[in-house]
Amino acid sequence: ALIASQPARADFSGAYAPANWTTSLAGTPPGGGGSVDTSGAPASITLNGGDAGCSAGPCTLQYTITAPGSGPLTFDWNYSTTDVDGPGLDLFLVVNGAATTQLSDNAGGTTQNGSENITITAGDTVGFMINCTDCGLGPANVTISNFNGPAASAAPTSIPTLSEWGMIVLSTLLALGTILTLRRQRQ
């Protein structure tokens, strides 16, 4: 059987349209009051970290999807925080299956950016997260753009086996023979 891949999606559309993603808010208050802004889709989405305090944490905002296909996932990210303590208390992470990887640099500036290329597996949960830790003294925001993810694989296509081809040829020859015999009988 052959498995054909669909082309990757180059933005937040199709299988990666915002309606197919899930926003999860954890902690008290949920996500520290964070939100996801999809008004820039399909070109971009923005995660707005919480700034309403976090009395029971961790206070996180996750924007995830079940990966429709396997392969490379690429995106650009632009991070900024107004937290007076800097980026060390407003963490930006990527979710890939059961693993999370921090992309923002705790010792970096209040504005950061990058381009990522990760490999994802169909069926895994993938996406983005802001952990606002204290969720106070100023929020972090991250805009994701130039998003490109693998599309779902097409259903397997069956190719006839050699014996099936033989049956097809034999059936075709028998049908042609029957047609020729009937024509001769009419003449």
Side-chain angles (χ1 to χ4, degrees):
L2 296 177
I3 299 177
S5 287
Q6 300 291 325
R9 295 299 312 177
D11 56 22
F12 291 98
S13 67
Y16 292 100
N20 298 324
W21 293 70
T22 301
T23 300
S24 303
L25 304 169
T28 304
S35 63
V36 176
D37 180 359
T38 60
S39 64
S44 67
I45 57 100
T46 299
L47 280 66
N48 300 303
D51 196 38
C54 184
S55 60
C59 289
T60 60
L61 159 70
Q62 288 193 50
Y63 190 63
T64 58
I65 190 170
T66 300
S70 297
L73 174 74
T74 60
F75 59 93
D76 295 337
W77 56 275
N78 287 299
Y79 166 98
S80 66
T81 185
T82 58
D83 194 312
V84 297
D85 291 327
L89 295 179
D90 288 311
L91 315 177
F92 171 56
L93 305 98
V94 65
V95 177
N96 188 0
T100 57
T101 304
Q102 184 174 338
L103 300 181
S104 60
D105 181 355
N106 292 351
T110 57
T111 61
Q112 303 176 26
N113 60 63
S115 296
E116 302 301 320
N117 183 343
I118 62 174
T119 300
I120 64 173
T121 302
D124 279 356
T125 298
V126 297
F128 312 103
M129 178 180 7
I130 291 183
N131 181 346
C132 60
T133 64
D134 67 348
C135 303
L137 305 175
N141 300 297
V142 181
T143 298
I144 310 297
S145 60
N146 295 319
F147 180 89
N148 195 348
S153 297
T157 303
S158 178
I159 297 176
T161 64
L162 187 56
S163 63
E164 289 171 332
W165 277 114
M167 290 302 293
I168 292 168
V169 170
L170 180 60
S171 297
T172 304
L173 290 174
L174 286 172
L176 287 173
T178 302
I179 292 170
L180 289 174
T181 302
L182 290 173
R183 278 187 152 179
R184 284 187 187 151
Q185 287 176 355
R186 285 187 186 161
Q187 294 176 350

